């Protein structure tokens, strides 16, 4: 069955975020889902004028109701989806038959939903066999170019035939299922993402999660009350692999990071004492924010305060977990917070739709919802001891992967303040660039670079000439293709190690319609906005010319495809010295490969 008909064009991010509570009653969710399915023209939120994202769901248990709920959550997240629904128990029939309806559908996302009673394990050898079954499914799906697989792991059952001894023996059913889940974590390929059903069953309680009467009656894999949370999780994962991720947590201060009002209570009078339950709750929240920062989330402050007073706790109170150096953008003034949100996005050079707002004041949250609808606003409970749970369960920072560059990103934003301070001491911008002591490397992508290359390719929106998205498996295919070359650029300066900050994909003209065999086509060129105006693009272009020559090309052809977010690179090729090519349908530029670039470089090339 296919929900929603004709496939058109992908429109991943919709017009406006519309909040949908995952824990809403299943009866209400199904009512909304059915209304969406029957009358999409009246009930859809996502922009349906473009191409639909093709999603296939197959399962060993009943998935009919879940597919409808998933379609609802995708729509409310701005994703116009066309969903293929597999037959009950038809995973093998769909996935292992190359001529099945699944392959005719050509999904971009395949969701495989399994249940513990699919397993037949009594020994470690059985575990290896079950793992082989999964790997066989995943490898078959590789025939779908660029496909991403969301594979559920196993919510471990409550029955314990061995009683307490289930935890004592390595070949008990409990131990084997735990090992299988861990093996899936360790051995899944890059294009397979694990949906952690074991986490959800633990979070909601296994006694509630498993509804055996529903299973025996209608073959529901888990209690229908939890379809909302699972659909919300999968929606966040699909958004992440489709290129949209939140990047920055914007925090209020008074009664959010600490108890009390610093302007009245003073830096040493606020509630942050580790020996006080209330202070400990705020420290617990600060610790969680610090954990987010360590995985790459940027931290910012948006507070109505005098800046000097607002900074005092960070500088003077030793009980603070967060320090001033952890905050990439600190905004404390008496302006409205909506204006400050725009300033923070601009200051960090990131989209305002990548900001997440956390403020204890409901009035401020409503202002942001009204005037900055692109921002994700967290519903903050009244009790600070529940702040961590509120932010964690909202899960606004779902990413497709966490790379070394992600973990170092936050610090690089923080170091920007030092760069700006240094820049203000120079009259000549070239002298400033020289003083940064930048070192760069441009090389061909290998196995060590694929994950970051794919991540940057899929996340970059502003400096992205064609906004082409490629999965890790597609990039791996290009590495094997003699007519393509994938180049990465890494950079460091006297303040930071940026890691890989630019990705370029070159293809021989013979692979591109309308081009000559000895042309080199720039299929994709994207760059992190953290390194704008550093001559990185000129540094990279030298390597593009060099690689094009190695590919036997005489002309380099670039294309600009306008998107909602990439206007900053509108004139990019002209600035590099390219000449426009007359074409009624495409914006193309050409560059004679023998022409020498004229721009100055301030980056020392290293091996």
């Amino acid at each position: 069955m296919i929900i929603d008909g004709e496939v058109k064009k992908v429109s991943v991010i919709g017009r406006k975020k519309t909040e949908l509570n995952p824990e809403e009653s299943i009866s209400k969710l199904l009512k909304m889902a059915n209304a969406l399915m029957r009358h999409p023209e009246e009930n859809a939120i996502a922009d349906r004028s473009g191409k639909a994202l093709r999603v296939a769901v197959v399962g060993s248990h009943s998935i009919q109701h879940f597919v409808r709920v998933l379609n609802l959550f995708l729509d409310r997240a701005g994703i116009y989806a066309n969903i293929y629904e597999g037959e009950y128990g038809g995973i093998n029939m769909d996935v292992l038959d190359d001529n099945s309806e699944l392959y005719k559908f050509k999904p971009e996302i395949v969701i495989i939903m399994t249940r513990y009673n699919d397993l037949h394990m009594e020994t470690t050898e059985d575990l290896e066999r079950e793992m082989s079954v999964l790997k066989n499914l995943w490898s078959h799906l590789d025939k779908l170019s660029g496909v991403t697989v969301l594979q559920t792991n196993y919510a471990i059952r409550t029955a314990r035939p061995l009683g307490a001894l289930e935890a004592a023996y390595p070949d008990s059913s409990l131990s084997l299922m735990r090992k299988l889940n861990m093996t899936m974590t360790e051995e899944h390929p890059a294009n397979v993402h694990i949906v952690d059903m074991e986490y959800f069953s633990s979070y909601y309680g296994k006694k509630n999660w498993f509804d055996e009467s529903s299973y025996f009656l209608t073959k529901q894999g888990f209690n229908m009350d939890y379809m909302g949370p699972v659909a919300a999780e999968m929606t966040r994962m699909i958004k992440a692999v489709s290129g949209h991720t939140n990047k920055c947590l914007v925090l209020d201060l008074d009664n959010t990071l600490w108890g009390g009002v610093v302007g009245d209570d003073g830096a040493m009078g606020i509630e942050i004492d580790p020996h006080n339950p209330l202070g400990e709750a705020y420290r617990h929240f600060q610790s969680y924010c610090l954990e987010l920062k360590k995985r790459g989330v940027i931290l910012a402050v948006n507070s109505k305060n005098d800046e000097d007073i607002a900074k005092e706790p960070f500088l003077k109170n030793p009980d603070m977990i967060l320090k001033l150096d952890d905050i990439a953008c600190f905004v404390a003034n008496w302006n409205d917070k909506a204006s400050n949100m725009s300033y923070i996005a601009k200051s960090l050079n990131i989209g305002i739709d990548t900001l997440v707002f956390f403020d204890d004041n409901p009035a401020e949250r409503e202002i942001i919802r009204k005037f900055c609808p692109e921002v994700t606003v967290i519903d903050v409970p009244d009790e600070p001891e529940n702040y961590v749970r509120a932010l964690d369960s909202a899960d606004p920072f779902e990413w497709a992967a966490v790379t070394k560059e992600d973990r170092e990103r936050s610090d690089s934003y923080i170091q920007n303040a030092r760069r700006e301070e240094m820049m203000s001491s120079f009259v000549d911008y070239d002298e400033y660039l020289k003083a940064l002591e930048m070192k760069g490397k441009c090389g061909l992508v290998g196995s060590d670079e694929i994950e970051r290359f794919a991540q940057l390719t899929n996340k970059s929106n502003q400096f992205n000439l064609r906004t082409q998205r490629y999965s890790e498996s597609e990039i791996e295919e290009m590495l094997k293709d003699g007519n393509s070359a994938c180049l990465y650029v890494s950079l460091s300066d006297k303040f930071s190690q940026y890691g890989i900050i630019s990705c370029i994909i070159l293809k021989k003209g013979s692979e591109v319609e309308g081009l000559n065999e000895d042309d080199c086509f720039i299929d994709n060129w994207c760059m992190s906005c953290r390194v704008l105006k550093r001559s990185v693009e000129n540094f990279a272009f030298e390597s593009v010319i060099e690689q094009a020559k190695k590919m036997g090309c005489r002309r380099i052809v670039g294309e600009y495809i306008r998107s909602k977010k990439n206007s900053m690179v509108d004139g990019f090729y002209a600035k590099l010295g390219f000449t426009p090519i007359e074409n009624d349908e495409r914006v193309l530029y050409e560059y004679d490969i023998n022409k020498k670039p004229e721009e100055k470089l301030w980056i020392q090339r290293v091996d």
Side-chain angles (χ1 to χ4, degrees):
M1 179 179 179
I2 295 175
I3 288 183
D4 208 24
E6 185 183 357
V7 177
K8 295 180 183 172
K9 178 179 157 192
V10 170
S11 175
V12 170
I13 308 304
R15 297 188 293 250
K16 179 181 177 182
K17 291 180 179 176
T18 302
E19 295 177 9
L20 187 61
N21 179 8
E23 298 187 0
E24 184 60 81
S25 71
I26 186 61
S27 59
K28 184 172 182 179
L29 290 177
L30 283 173
K31 184 178 179 181
M32 296 170 68
N34 290 334
L36 173 63
M37 186 180 70
R38 290 168 185 157
H39 304 290
E41 67 285 354
E42 297 175 7
N43 298 294
I45 298 296
D47 181 358
R48 302 167 74 82
S49 63
K51 181 180 172 186
L53 181 71
R54 295 187 301 277
V55 180
V57 184
V58 294
S60 62
H61 50 80
S62 178
I63 56 174
Q64 183 183 25
H65 294 309
F66 178 75
V67 166
R68 282 160 173 70
V69 175
L70 176 64
N71 186 48
L72 174 67
F73 274 85
L74 290 170
D75 176 78
R76 293 306 187 264
I79 300 174
Y80 172 29
N82 185 17
I83 304 182
Y84 170 87
E85 179 186 317
E87 298 289 338
Y88 163 71
I91 295 177
N92 290 343
M93 181 179 70
D94 266 325
V95 177
L96 301 182
D97 179 1
D98 296 350
N99 298 312
S100 71
E101 294 299 316
L102 175 85
Y103 289 95
K104 293 175 185 173
F105 179 69
K106 297 180 179 177
E108 296 152 274
I109 307 283
V110 175
I111 298 172
I112 303 177
M113 303 186 72
T114 50
R115 195 173 190 268
Y116 73 84
N117 51 339
D118 304 337
L119 304 172
H120 304 283
M121 297 192 299
E122 295 182 356
T123 65
T124 302
E125 288 73 25
D126 293 334
L127 184 154
E128 293 171 354
R129 176 179 45 75
E130 295 289 354
M131 195 63 209
S132 296
V133 170
L134 290 172
K135 287 182 177 179
N136 190 36
L137 294 174
W138 300 340
S139 65
H140 261 77
L141 288 171
D142 278 344
K143 294 172 183 174
L144 294 163
S145 178
V147 72
T148 295
V149 179
L150 303 188
Q151 170 72 58
T152 62
N153 67 7
Y154 294 91
I156 299 173
R157 66 176 185 169
T158 53
R160 298 191 303 166
L162 291 179
L165 293 177
E166 285 279 343
Y169 289 92
D171 59 350
S172 69
S173 62
L174 174 72
S175 298
L176 289 171
M177 278 192 270
R178 283 176 174 170
K179 284 181 187 174
L180 180 60
N181 280 343
M182 181 53 68
T183 307
M184 291 170 68
T185 297
E186 293 171 345
E187 299 184 9
H188 68 85
N191 68 321
V192 176
H193 301 259
I194 304 298
V195 183
D196 196 351
M197 301 294 265
E198 171 59 6
Y199 162 77
F200 279 109
S201 67
S202 300
Y203 183 83
Y204 289 105
K206 290 179 180 292
K207 286 177 65 177
N208 302 316
W209 179 264
F210 292 110
D211 183 349
E212 299 302 353
S213 62
S214 289
Y215 178 73
F216 294 127
L217 189 64
T218 61
K219 292 294 181 288
Q220 297 298 325
F222 54 95
N223 191 321
M224 290 178 66
D225 288 344
Y226 306 120
M227 285 185 178
V230 175
E233 174 89 340
M234 290 186 181
T235 297
R236 288 190 292 267
M237 295 174 78
I238 290 171
K239 284 184 71 173
V241 298
S242 299
H244 181 83
T245 54
N246 290 324
K247 297 177 179 177
C248 177
L249 176 61
V250 183
L251 296 155
D252 175 45
L253 295 178
D254 292 335
N255 294 313
T256 297
L257 280 190
W258 55 68
V261 178
V262 65
D264 297 334
D265 303 323
M268 303 307 292
I270 57 174
E271 292 282 1
I272 197 71
D273 185 347
H275 306 294
N276 174 297
L278 187 57
E280 194 172 0
Y282 286 108
R283 283 170 55 86
H284 178 52
F285 181 61
Q286 289 196 21
S287 295
Y288 183 77
C289 293
L290 189 59
E291 285 186 80
L292 291 178
K293 183 219 166 196
K294 288 178 179 175
R295 59 158 278 191
V297 174
I298 306 163
L299 300 185
V301 161
N302 184 358
S303 170
K304 283 186 175 176
N305 258 309
D306 291 323
E307 182 174 334
D308 290 345
I309 294 174
K311 287 182 175 178
E312 281 187 356
F314 295 92
L315 298 171
K316 297 179 179 177
N317 194 318
D319 293 331
M320 288 283 290
I321 302 291
L322 290 174
K323 307 301 179 188
L324 208 51
D325 282 348
D326 295 316
I327 311 298
C329 185
F330 197 106
V331 179
N333 54 37
W334 297 99
N335 298 336
D336 66 272
K337 290 197 174 182
S339 299
N340 284 345
M341 294 297 278
S342 298
Y343 172 82
I344 289 169
K346 186 176 181 181
S347 175
L348 295 172
N349 210 359
I350 58 178
I352 194 169
D353 61 345
T354 67
L355 301 183
V356 177
F357 185 58
F358 195 100
D359 191 320
D360 72 295
N361 188 332
E364 297 290 3
R365 299 199 297 270
E366 282 309 304
I367 288 171
I368 298 301
R369 284 192 177 101
K370 182 173 182 179
F371 294 102
C372 305
E374 311 92 336
V375 173
T376 300
V377 179
I378 305 297
D379 284 324
V380 180
D382 293 336
E383 311 81 13
E385 60 269 30
N386 292 323
Y387 283 3
V388 170
R389 180 171 295 191
L391 182 54
D392 191 73
S393 60
D395 196 15
F397 298 106
E398 193 66 61
W399 297 352
V402 178
T403 63
K404 178 172 71 68
E405 284 80 3
D406 290 324
R407 298 181 194 281
E408 295 171 351
R409 179 196 296 118
S410 184
D411 285 333
S412 76
Y413 278 101
I414 293 164
Q415 298 296 346
N416 271 343
R418 297 182 184 175
R419 291 187 192 89
E420 288 175 5
E421 183 181 349
M422 190 177 85
M423 185 171 67
S424 66
S425 66
F426 285 91
V427 176
D428 187 313
Y429 191 71
D430 286 351
E431 288 299 313
Y432 161 69
L433 291 179
K434 185 178 178 181
L436 282 176
E437 300 174 8
M438 292 183 285
K439 296 178 181 177
K441 179 180 180 180
C442 190
L444 289 169
V445 171
S447 57
D448 291 343
E449 292 85 23
I450 287 178
E451 184 181 33
R452 171 59 179 165
F453 192 91
Q455 185 198 50
L456 189 57
T457 299
N458 290 309
K459 285 174 65 176
S460 299
N461 292 308
Q462 297 180 87
F463 193 111
N464 197 327
L465 273 300
R466 296 182 76 238
T467 320
Q468 302 299 296
R469 310 298 192 188
Y470 293 108
S471 66
E472 291 188 30
S473 59
E474 287 177 298
I475 292 165
E476 287 175 350
E477 287 300 314
M478 282 189 263
L479 299 186
K480 300 172 188 172
D481 179 6
N483 290 322
S484 301
C486 298
L487 299 176
Y488 73 89
V489 179
S490 61
L491 184 75
S492 66
D493 65 18
K494 66 187 298 181
F495 296 108
S496 301
Q497 294 280 346
Y498 292 96
I500 294 175
I501 40 78
S502 185
C503 303
I504 304 163
I505 297 174
L506 305 178
K507 291 184 176 177
K508 288 203 65 170
S510 55
E511 303 292 307
V512 184
E513 185 178 350
L515 297 191
N516 302 320
E517 189 172 346
D518 58 357
D519 285 340
C520 176
F521 181 62
I522 302 176
D523 179 82
N524 209 28
W525 189 339
C526 60
M527 189 172 80
S528 168
C529 290
R530 288 180 293 156
V531 293
L532 289 175
K533 299 181 180 178
R534 305 275 190 88
S535 75
V536 174
E537 55 271 36
N538 305 99
F539 174 79
F541 188 49
E542 286 195 344
S543 295
V544 169
I545 295 173
E546 184 181 335
Q547 185 60 36
K549 289 179 178 177
K550 289 179 181 176
M551 295 167 72
C553 299
R554 301 174 62 184
R555 182 177 73 151
I556 301 172
V557 178
E559 182 180 25
Y560 170 62
I561 300 177
R562 179 179 293 278
S563 73
K564 292 180 180 177
K565 296 184 175 181
N566 72 349
S567 60
M568 72 157 54
V569 289
D570 189 349
F572 173 74
Y573 282 121
K575 289 177 184 174
L576 270 186
F578 281 65
T579 305
I581 300 175
E582 288 192 17
N583 190 303
D584 293 337
E585 298 179 352
R586 303 170 68 180
V587 183
L588 296 171
Y589 298 85
E590 64 181 350
Y591 190 94
D592 184 340
I593 207 165
N594 294 313
K595 182 179 172 183
K596 191 171 181 181
E598 297 178 355
E599 290 292 328
K600 294 178 183 175
L601 290 182
W602 302 104
I603 302 172
Q604 179 188 349
R605 192 176 294 274
V606 297
D607 295 328

